[in-house]
Amino acid sequence: MKKRIEDLKILENKRLNEEFFVLKLKSDQTFEKILPGQFAEVRVDGSPTTFLRRPISIYDVDYDENTLYLLFKIAGDGTLKISELKAGENLNLVYPLGNSFTVGNVKRVLLIGGGTGVAPMLILGKYLKNEFKITPEFLLGYRSKELIIEKDKFNSLGTVYITTEDGSEGHKGLVTHHPVLQENNEDIDQIYCCGPEPMMKAVSGIAKDNNIPCEVSMENLMGCGIGACLCCVVDTYDEGNVITCTQGPVFNSNRLKWQI
Amino acid sequence: MADLAIRIGKIKFKNPVMTASGTFGFGPEFDDFIDVSRIGAVLVKGITGSERQGNPYPRMAETASGMLNTVGLQNKGIDYFVEKIYPEIIKYDTEIIVNVNGGTIEEYCMVAEKCNKLERINAIELNISCPNVTQGGMIFGTHCPSTIAVTDAVRKSFNKTLIVKLSPNVTDIVEFAQAVEGCGADAVSLINTLLGMAIDAKTHRSKLSTITGGLSGPAVKPIALRMVWQVANAVKIPVIGIGGIMNTNDAIEFFLAGASAVQIGTANFINPAVTIEIIDGINRYLNNKGFSSIHNLIGALEV
């Protein structure tokens, strides 16, 4: 859909656990289609050290209620300020921005998310299920059980595998250690991944070794989110520096020259 | 409706609000948000003789009331612009101004000559003040004999309206403004970004891949205003004010300091509709004050 600048009303700003928050926002206008992988640039008011908007992944959309959900964690002064906002207040968004995950002729898909990177996986899982009749498998990585994000929402869409670094739930270790990725991966047609860059790089490596197409969603420092400032580039093998906010944030992982 | 039209060189602009180069893409990036044709002029992203990849990531660091960037003139070169971008953006019913860059005088002239042949390009902005490239850019803009040499040469390559964008990273910007006026520039635009740094105390590294970068945003506005005021009092050609303009009031301040037009830069990143809001805001301001024309404001600072 067309990008727009809009004040949305906060219906809820819910703290899920020690780290993560979900904002539920209501628009006065209807949404046309918001695609999985797209994000919003959120204006932060009243934080003297925050000048630019904050790019946040779109986590879920309810087209009947005209509401959308943003998942975030406190990463600095800007997101701290957003975490303090109350129901009834407005939040100014520029959205929906960026490209989206692509769906080819696939049967078995694995959606891998780490931390706030689980956000685009929920909306993608819903999209796969509703529009392509594909039941997604989620592989979600957290540091510990307490940080797991809205497990029921993911469970309602497909199979959920959990890894925790401390072993307090699911498989102990990182997502890349999980059997679904290491052993039972022969008939996976497509991997989608969003999370910390080392995780995405490692997942991309496994995908490449097993000839599984893989798309990752990059989270670069952005100035504008609309392709005007050219700050958020990623280096690619085929085109050199490309702009994450408009030519991404979703990329075929084989294109990327990882910087880490 | 107050009269917002201004004249710079051979061009009559419908209003004095322009976009600053490098903050507005080529225009289509903003089509979803605003009617780009309403803007007084669109200054497109800086263009060089051939394609440039720009600087490595990270290219940006947020600072108190501003940001540092080190994009380094990433662009696909003048030929790509002429063939692919120009035909698309002449749909806009406004002036398109090309921001001309180069590593050598020859490269500047080559880009300027190609712009000279484009019917809908009535002006170029000669960028001798980019702080983020190792060749050309600010090197030309911070050494007065080099400024004169490149401006002289480009003046001979381009017979339409020539604007020269000045660097604030000099001891006395007036000297540079007078020098380019002497070379036949039709206007000066100022300021480009101020050279700055941001360091990550945790990692002991610069937040920018090139260590230094250009500071923009409200943090630089007082410096920009002072320089516009100094230059406007020292040259006869029009001055285009740039630097941290976020809203109508900021723009009014630049007109009072002596600017005939303003460029809106970093503000586009936070509010993609800011240019239109400022055009409407200036009109309202003039009406409220009972002024019939923007010329009532230009240089009207009371001292």
Side-chain angles (χ1 to χ4, degrees):
Chain A
M1 65 181 256
K2 256 176 105 164
K3 301 173 202 129
R4 60 196 192 203
I5 316 168
E6 189 189 348
D7 281 328
L8 286 90
K9 177 153 281 188
I10 299 171
L11 296 185
E12 193 176 22
N13 191 2
K14 187 163 75 176
R15 181 162 209 157
L16 298 175
N17 51 44
E18 199 190 325
E19 263 184 26
F20 301 111
F21 295 77
V22 171
L23 272 167
K24 182 180 183 184
L25 304 168
K26 186 167 178 64
S27 173
D28 291 336
Q29 308 166 55
T30 55
F31 303 125
E32 294 156 54
K33 193 167 241 168
I34 292 175
L35 297 167
Q38 291 193 300
F39 63 98
E41 281 274 12
V42 179
R43 197 180 73 205
V44 182
D45 298 332
S47 169
T49 51
T50 308
F51 178 61
L52 298 163
R53 287 175 183 263
R54 290 294 178 267
I56 300 180
S57 285
I58 294 172
Y59 175 49
D60 200 359
V61 183
D62 187 322
Y63 291 95
D64 298 324
E65 284 187 346
N66 293 337
T67 54
L68 65 82
Y69 296 78
L70 303 178
L71 176 72
F72 68 99
K73 70 171 180 185
I74 299 171
D77 292 350
T79 37
L80 174 65
K81 195 77 196 175
I82 298 171
S83 76
E84 291 166 352
L85 295 170
K86 301 276 184 290
E89 293 184 84
N90 283 343
L91 192 62
N92 187 273
L93 263 55
V94 175
Y95 77 105
L97 305 175
N99 66 354
S100 69
F101 292 100
T102 61
V103 184
N105 184 21
V106 291
K107 287 197 188 77
R108 187 175 177 212
V109 295
L110 185 61
L111 283 62
I112 306 175
T116 47
V118 306
M121 294 305 144
L122 184 84
I123 186 172
L124 173 61
K126 226 174 170 178
Y127 180 74
L128 288 165
K129 185 154 190 164
N130 294 342
E131 312 240 344
F132 296 90
K133 310 297 171 211
I134 296 168
T135 304
E137 293 173 50
F138 297 98
L139 172 56
L140 308 175
Y142 299 98
R143 283 207 315 280
S144 70
K145 183 181 178 178
E146 293 71 39
L147 298 176
I148 292 173
I149 293 165
E150 302 196 301
K151 205 172 157 189
D152 293 348
K153 275 198 167 187
F154 291 91
N155 272 326
S156 71
L157 295 169
T159 313
V160 180
Y161 311 104
I162 299 279
T163 63
T164 52
E165 290 177 37
D166 64 0
S168 52
E169 182 156 337
H171 193 88
K172 184 176 178 179
L174 303 171
V175 292
T176 42
H177 301 144
H178 197 279
V180 72
L181 198 54
Q182 286 295 351
E183 294 149 33
N184 312 321
N185 61 27
E186 310 80 33
D187 54 348
I188 297 174
D189 299 310
Q190 174 78 51
I191 290 173
Y192 302 104
C193 183
C194 183
E197 213 166 310
M199 177 189 128
M200 292 196 288
K201 185 185 179 188
V203 168
S204 301
I206 294 171
K208 194 171 182 185
D209 292 343
N210 292 279
N211 288 316
I212 305 168
C214 177
E215 289 186 342
V216 297
S217 178
M218 300 296 286
E219 190 190 38
N220 278 11
L221 278 175
M222 289 181 186
C224 66
I226 56 175
C229 75
L230 309 191
C231 287
C232 62
V233 288
V234 291
D235 199 1
T236 63
Y237 289 104
D238 55 324
E239 270 190 82
N241 285 328
V242 300
I243 306 166
T244 304
C245 68
T246 50
Q247 295 173 271
V250 178
F251 294 94
N252 178 328
S253 63
N254 286 335
R255 295 183 65 195
L256 301 174
K257 291 185 189 173
W258 298 95
Q259 299 300 309
I260 47 168
Chain B
M1 183 84 191
D3 181 10
L4 295 187
I6 53 134
R7 188 171 280 281
I8 291 175
K10 303 173 187 77
I11 307 171
K12 186 180 178 189
F13 294 90
K14 69 177 102 180
N15 68 60
V17 176
M18 307 174 174
T19 64
S21 176
T23 66
F24 202 72
F26 293 95
E29 292 84 348
F30 289 76
D31 281 345
D32 278 1
F33 305 109
I34 54 173
D35 178 4
V36 172
S37 294
R38 285 195 58 207
I39 302 172
V42 172
L43 282 98
V44 301
K45 171 71 191 151
I47 292 173
T48 49
S50 52
E51 180 169 0
R52 288 201 192 185
Q53 278 292 323
N55 292 327
Y57 182 86
R59 291 180 171 182
M60 189 269 287
E62 191 175 33
T63 62
S65 295
M67 62 181 281
L68 288 156
N69 89 80
T70 179
V71 173
L73 293 175
Q74 181 177 343
N75 79 103
K76 290 189 186 295
I78 183 65
D79 292 338
Y80 184 89
F81 174 79
V82 171
E83 284 157 32
K84 294 281 176 12
I85 298 171
Y86 172 75
E88 187 195 347
I89 62 176
I90 54 174
K91 68 181 177 188
Y92 297 127
D93 179 23
T94 189
E95 294 294 334
I96 310 288
I97 299 178
V98 178
N99 182 271
V100 171
N101 294 269
T104 60
I105 290 180
E106 292 70 29
E107 187 180 358
Y108 276 108
C109 289
M110 187 261 271
V111 177
E113 276 164 23
K114 289 186 177 178
C115 291
N116 206 37
K117 293 184 190 131
L118 298 174
E119 192 191 333
R120 283 275 276 104
I121 303 296
N122 296 314
I124 59 172
E125 181 180 63
L126 178 61
N127 186 358
I128 51 169
S129 42
C130 175
N132 299 323
V133 288
T134 49
Q135 280 196 320
M138 201 174 80
I139 296 161
F140 283 105
T142 54
H143 177 240
C144 210
S146 302
T147 299
I148 291 168
V150 69
T151 308
D152 256 340
V154 169
R155 178 69 287 178
K156 291 188 180 81
S157 309
F158 188 79
N159 59 26
K160 297 185 259 187
T161 296
L162 174 64
I163 302 161
V164 181
K165 187 168 184 176
L166 300 179
S167 173
N169 301 302
V170 294
T171 309
D172 180 14
I173 197 167
V174 167
E175 181 190 348
F176 290 81
Q178 289 173 330
V180 301
E181 181 180 38
C183 299
D186 295 295
V188 284
S189 55
L190 58 139
I191 58 174
N192 205 320
T193 55
L194 281 141
L195 200 58
M197 272 175 86
I199 293 173
D200 187 330
K202 275 185 248 155
T203 62
H204 294 200
R205 289 175 171 276
S206 171
K207 292 184 180 178
L208 300 172
S209 65
T210 51
I211 303 180
T212 61
L215 180 66
S216 65
V220 311
K221 196 187 81 174
I223 299 167
L225 267 177
R226 182 264 295 177
M227 289 186 167
V228 164
W229 182 73
Q230 286 180 317
V231 169
N233 281 305
V235 297
K236 292 188 183 65
I237 53 177
V239 175
I240 303 170
I242 321 165
I245 299 173
M246 299 298 286
N247 53 44
T248 301
N249 260 337
D250 292 341
I252 301 291
E253 292 172 25
F254 275 85
F255 294 118
L256 292 171
S260 297
V262 292
Q263 291 180 9
I264 315 299
T266 306
N268 289 304
F269 301 157
I270 295 149
N271 177 6
V274 69
T275 44
I276 301 300
E277 290 174 11
I278 291 175
I279 294 165
D280 291 340
I282 293 169
N283 188 48
R284 270 196 308 276
Y285 179 93
L286 293 173
N287 287 339
N288 290 343
K289 287 275 182 187
F291 292 151
S292 60
S293 157
I294 186 70
H295 290 93
N296 294 112
L297 278 186
I298 297 170
L301 181 74
E302 293 183 27
V303 288

